[in-house]
Amino acid sequence: MSADTSLPVLTQKDFASDQEIRWCPRCGDYSILAQMKKVLPTLGIPKEDIVFVSGIGCSSRFPYYMSTYGMHSIHGRAPAIATGLKVARPELTVFVITGDGDALSIGGNHLLHALRRNVDLKIIMFNNQIYGLTKGQYSPTSPLGKKTKSTPFGSVDRPLNPLSVAIGAGATFVARSADVDIKHLTMVLERAARHKGSAFVEVYQDCNVFNSGAFEFATKKDQKQENCIYLENGKPLIYGNDRDKGIRLTGAGNPEVVNLSDVKEDDLLFHDESSDDPTPAFRLAQMRWPNSPEPMGIFRSIDRPTYDGEVDRQFKQCMEQGTADLEALFNSGDTWDVKPK
């Protein structure tokens, strides 16, 4: 998507609504909102052509705080509603704002098919590994053994890996960032916004009331360089405060940590976000802290025809061929006339 230079120049203030922001003090949602407001003016899209659709949860208050069109929909159904909107109005830029519970529990099936179809939606999932709005129950991403109000003796569920789900469903853009990593998050949101197709972004978001500090390994300045690998397309996987460690593949194709003093840089695993084969991205998504350094950034970005684009193409083709007769469709096949006695 390219900026329209004929439009008035917008700033982040132009995208701020007049509504009072009602999240808990120091919630990570504030940072995500701020970075989104920074990104939108760079896109060159009129405010009236941008829509935010949300489900239910703390994150789903997001549309109220954006000076754009928006829909606060129902639990888990934001991808379905957004799909209908995008198919009906393909010229719009449609964001879906959701949480780990909203997207992966009741909304899992809707999310799966929006990604599978490659609907041109920008799905931003706030992951705090907890149900915050309903006061601290465990969610589909809560770690094994997590003690919450609904799992007082520890969760026995193995958590879903959101990026693995997205890659497995065929999402054409998959990325991860963290709420307070401002520059990185801004970059990721802008890349997602400019992608044509299903863009899925997992944002590590701190719920400082019910699950505080869950992502300190990826946000603390003195920890994140040692615990995370920041993906750069075409470059080797190197990390560490001194950038002295890297990732290479074993003979069995598994990633392993090596010291750069022991291997050549050319022996490391190089990142290719544009690979049509989902295997490299899936392999990266399986690397999770604390068992390994955790990748952050763009895992996958490929081009494929979009669902809404193909529907629009078919519609226009039917119109040109003169076959788009709604009345004939309604009266096709078996019909009955119901007459009064």
Side-chain angles (χ1 to χ4, degrees), residues 21-295:
I21 301 176
R22 301 183 67 182
W23 285 318
C24 299
R26 300 185 304 281
C27 174
D29 290 1
Y30 286 96
S31 179
I32 304 172
L33 177 67
Q35 306 337 308
M36 182 64 77
K37 289 175 183 176
K38 289 180 185 177
V39 166
L40 294 184
T42 71
L43 305 179
I45 303 173
K47 293 197 300 179
E48 59 269 22
D49 287 346
I50 300 173
V51 185
F52 285 87
V53 182
S54 66
I56 296 296
C58 296
S59 64
S60 294
R61 299 190 62 81
F62 206 94
Y64 296 104
Y65 308 141
M66 301 299 303
S67 183
T68 64
Y69 284 106
M71 300 180 190
H72 190 176
S73 70
I74 55 180
H75 207 185
R77 275 67 176 184
I81 292 170
T83 296
L85 175 61
K86 185 64 182 180
V87 170
R89 295 287 303 277
E91 76 279 9
L92 297 178
T93 296
V94 182
F95 289 85
V96 173
I97 303 297
T98 184
D100 48 305
D102 185 55
L104 297 173
S105 185
I106 191 171
N109 205 40
H110 296 286
L111 174 68
L112 182 73
H113 293 293
L115 298 176
R116 174 183 66 84
R117 289 168 169 156
N118 197 32
V119 186
D120 186 20
L121 302 175
K122 325 307 173 188
I123 302 173
I124 316 299
M125 193 197 80
F126 299 16
N127 183 7
N128 54 26
Q129 297 183 341
I130 204 79
Y131 277 101
L133 185 67
T134 50
K135 308 299 184 287
Q137 300 82 10
Y138 85 120
S139 86
T141 59
S142 295
L144 189 67
K146 179 70 175 178
K147 292 184 178 181
T148 72
K149 292 179 179 178
S150 56
T151 54
F153 302 105
S155 169
V156 297
D157 284 3
R158 294 193 176 275
L160 273 176
N161 182 329
L163 297 193
S164 294
V165 172
I167 295 165
T172 53
F173 181 96
V174 178
R176 178 194 288 139
S177 190
D179 51 8
V180 295
D181 197 342
I182 293 173
K183 290 184 179 180
H184 190 264
L185 177 58
T186 301
M187 178 276 292
V188 167
L189 291 177
E190 182 173 358
R191 284 284 307 275
R194 295 185 183 278
H195 179 73
K196 190 70 173 175
S198 59
F200 180 82
V201 178
E202 177 188 23
V203 183
Y204 284 165
Q205 177 259 323
D206 186 54
C207 176
N208 62 304
V209 175
F210 296 108
N211 199 25
S212 182
F215 302 113
E216 285 186 349
F217 75 92
T219 57
K220 289 287 188 181
K221 290 183 178 180
D222 60 343
Q223 296 183 35
K224 63 181 184 178
Q225 295 297 336
E226 286 291 321
N227 298 329
C228 299
I229 297 175
Y230 291 87
L231 301 173
E232 297 181 80
N233 193 37
K235 294 187 178 181
L237 270 60
I238 296 176
Y239 73 104
N241 288 326
D242 299 321
R243 293 189 62 79
D244 57 348
K245 293 182 282 290
I247 301 294
R248 72 174 178 185
L249 295 182
T250 65
N254 299 316
E256 67 172 354
V257 174
V258 293
N259 291 316
L260 295 189
S261 59
D262 300 328
V263 300
K264 296 179 181 179
E265 189 173 294
D266 289 344
D267 294 331
L268 299 178
L269 179 61
F270 280 67
H271 181 47
D272 181 10
E273 66 181 38
S274 61
S275 174
D276 196 56
D277 180 2
T279 304
F282 192 83
R283 181 190 294 120
L284 291 173
Q286 292 296 298
M287 296 174 58
R288 305 299 296 269
W289 184 87
N291 297 319
S292 70
E294 191 155 315

